[in-house]
Amino acid sequence: AATDIGADELVSGDVTAPSAVSNLAAGSPTYSCLTLTWTAPGDDAGSGTATSYDIRFSTSSIPDDPTFNAAEQVVGEPAPQVAASSESFQVCGLGSATTYYFAIKTSDEVPNTSIISNNPNMATSDAPLRPRHRSAPFVGSFASIDLLQVGR
């Protein structure tokens, strides 16, 4: 079968996509943030340093390209580190008490793009309780009531 090679690949000679992130995890929930952690996959398969991450989230699973493309893209993804480095990124602005699913694709300079990562999910915590509205302090005097013991 013939392989369709684009002009960028012909110029650079790089036809190897980064490996997919396989250990994406979500944790450390707050009422509006979750922290993602994973291992950097590298540029050419599992070596070197990739160029960019595309991190997406949704309230439903992200198992394939159509759902990945429809999911919300986070802003401010970190620049990839060298292969096998530990990565983390906090996603904020999420709704409280809601389960979110996450996925990453990694690209190199061509850009060759990895397949979708694993698809972890986690719920944000409940929003903190707001302080109760306090009434104004009592100003004035208290009346006293004398109780009489009747019939003993």
Side-chain angles (χ1 to χ4, degrees):
T3 302
D4 184 19
I5 298 177
D8 290 334
E9 289 91 347
L10 287 174
V11 171
S12 72
D14 183 356
V15 295
T16 306
S19 295
V21 169
S22 61
N23 65 342
L24 180 61
S28 303
T30 69
Y31 67 92
S32 65
C33 299
L34 290 166
T35 299
L36 303 178
T37 57
W38 68 95
T39 302
D43 177 354
D44 296 321
S47 65
T49 305
T51 302
S52 65
Y53 291 122
D54 182 355
I55 303 173
R56 305 283 178 119
F57 68 94
S58 177
T59 54
S60 56
S61 185
I62 309 172
D64 53 32
D65 284 327
T67 55
F68 184 86
N69 294 335
E72 179 125 8
Q73 185 173 14
V74 302
V75 176
E77 294 102 325
Q81 298 181 62
V82 67
S85 297
S86 295
E87 302 267 29
S88 71
F89 181 70
Q90 189 174 51
V91 180
C92 291
L94 304 172
S96 65
T98 303
T99 298
Y100 289 95
Y101 294 79
F102 296 90
I104 297 178
K105 283 187 177 184
T106 307
S107 295
D108 66 13
E109 73 286 353
V110 173
N112 296 307
T113 303
S114 72
I115 61 171
I116 299 170
S117 68
N118 61 308
N119 187 217
N121 68 77
M122 176 157 271
T124 51
S125 60
D126 287 334
L129 296 176
R130 292 184 178 159
R132 291 185 177 184
H133 180 69
R134 300 175 106 181
S135 58
F138 177 78
V139 178
S141 61
F142 288 98
S144 64
I145 300 174
D146 290 325
L147 298 176
L148 299 174
Q149 196 169 16
V150 179
R152 280 196 175 193

